[in-house]
Amino acid sequence: MQLSTVDYTAPDALERLVDSLIDTGFCVLKNHPIPKELVESIYRSWQAFFDSGEKHEYFYDKTNQDGFFPLAIAETAKGHTKKDIKEYYHIYPWGRIPAGLKEEVMDYYHRANAFATRLLSGIQRSVPEEVVAGLSMPLSEMIEGSDRTLLRVLHYPPMTGEEEAGAVRAAAHSDINLLTVLPASNQPGLQVRRTDGNWIDVPCDFGYLIVNAGDMLQEATGGYFPSTIHRVINPTGRMAERSRISLPTFLHPRADVVLSERYTAGDYLEERLRELGVK
């Protein structure tokens, strides 16, 4: 079983997007405005970067959380004890980015931000008044001027057979942020856990765009939009010999944005980074 897809150009696209987010926390879009040629080019150029020794010149900054995170210090998902089998690069507009890769990847960063802003505005127009009344401000305004929205370039290396027993590419987790925008990867593996506990595959047809609610959206809307558990499973057969590249943009509110009586966005993020063991 797979998640269904929504044609972004259809008259009822927004309604179906919201219904899918409520039902599963995820939505898969086709015919969206982000050029797949740009995504494909980024996949190629960053695969070359991860294959090179240059990545070690950009070792991550523990305070700012920008730069290259090697396999040895990958995240350990909340509630798990095994590190994920992945390395990745954190991109912020103010952070360190290899000069030869910056123009293209920042083009994508700004496109994804603009698209997510439109989605958030549309989502808010489609939810009950009592949910809107509980927001400290409109959803799209929460990310205006934010310096914490993160573009993560993920590299899941080929499997060697020497991985730690029980470790997977990305253990079951939810996203911390408000909304995630993710082009379909160059390999399958992403799965979503339904409320009945069963796992379903997320379509990975090239050109699709996956949108999912994060923990902060769940917190801000009092649970109206669920932040759904998802994972990336280990490949088998010939697929295990190939790398997997993924390009999620995690839309984060400004640190001072009030999510609920319990949290500001800044407090929530700091708590979760400590839980992940990267801060």
Side-chain angles (χ1 to χ4, degrees):
M1 181 180 179
Q2 286 190 336
L3 290 173
S4 59
T5 60
V6 173
D7 186 341
Y8 186 67
T9 63
D12 63 344
L14 185 59
E15 179 182 347
R16 292 184 61 197
L17 165 72
V18 171
D19 287 346
S20 186
L21 288 177
I22 293 171
D23 182 38
T24 68
F26 274 69
C27 182
V28 181
L29 299 176
K30 62 181 180 180
N31 297 325
H32 56 83
I34 296 179
K36 63 181 182 180
E37 296 81 9
L38 175 60
V39 173
E40 185 176 36
S41 180
I42 290 172
Y43 285 169
R44 287 196 304 267
S45 58
W46 281 85
Q47 179 67 69
F49 175 79
F50 285 116
D51 288 342
S52 75
E54 183 185 2
K55 61 189 180 184
H56 298 292
E57 300 174 15
Y58 296 89
F59 192 79
Y60 87 107
D61 183 287
K62 193 168 185 178
T63 300
N64 293 329
Q65 295 287 302
D66 68 320
F68 170 65
F69 292 69
L71 280 166
I73 57 170
E75 293 171 326
T76 301
K78 184 178 180 180
H80 297 266
T81 59
K82 311 289 186 182
K83 288 186 178 296
D84 290 346
I85 308 170
K86 65 189 182 188
E87 58 184 0
Y88 47 94
Y89 198 103
H90 277 187
I91 292 173
Y92 299 98
W94 45 262
R96 296 164 298 150
I97 306 171
L101 302 175
K102 184 172 183 177
E103 181 177 356
E104 185 176 62
V105 81
M106 287 309 301
D107 180 19
Y108 175 82
Y109 181 97
H110 293 304
R111 288 175 185 268
N113 267 267
F115 183 61
T117 300
R118 293 200 298 273
L119 289 180
L120 287 170
S121 294
I123 287 169
Q124 180 160 330
R125 292 195 301 271
S126 302
V127 299
E129 291 183 5
E130 58 268 25
V131 175
V132 174
L135 299 174
S136 63
M137 66 183 67
L139 293 173
S140 60
E141 291 183 13
M142 291 183 178
I143 63 173
E144 286 183 4
S146 173
D147 65 353
R148 299 311 305 172
T149 287
L150 165 66
L151 175 57
R152 172 184 279 181
V153 188
L154 276 157
H155 175 232
Y156 303 95
M159 309 299 289
T160 66
E162 299 179 1
E163 290 79 17
E164 184 179 7
V168 294
R169 281 183 158 176
H173 66 283
S174 59
D175 289 347
I176 302 171
N177 49 291
L178 197 66
L179 197 73
T180 302
V181 174
L182 171 69
S185 178
N186 63 345
Q187 268 198 44
L190 179 60
Q191 294 184 326
V192 174
R193 191 173 72 190
R194 292 188 60 89
T195 53
D196 61 8
N198 291 319
W199 292 93
I200 56 175
D201 295 323
V202 176
C204 66
D205 303 58
F206 188 66
Y208 282 3
L209 193 73
I210 297 105
V211 178
N212 67 275
D215 294 343
M216 291 186 184
L217 184 59
Q218 178 175 269
E219 184 75 23
T221 61
Y224 186 78
F225 290 108
S227 180
T228 305
I229 300 295
H230 50 286
R231 66 184 182 184
V232 179
I233 60 175
N234 293 342
T236 59
R238 295 298 298 271
M239 295 295 287
E241 301 173 6
R242 297 177 54 191
S243 290
R244 184 179 190 271
I245 297 288
S246 184
L247 195 64
T249 303
F250 300 110
L251 277 296
H252 276 271
R254 297 181 307 280
D256 63 340
V257 168
V258 175
L259 298 176
S260 67
E261 293 182 357
R262 301 188 300 169
Y263 290 108
T264 65
D267 292 339
Y268 198 99
L269 178 60
E270 289 295 315
E271 177 180 288
R272 290 296 302 277
L273 290 177
R274 289 192 295 269
E275 290 172 347
L276 290 170
V278 295
K279 195 166 188 178

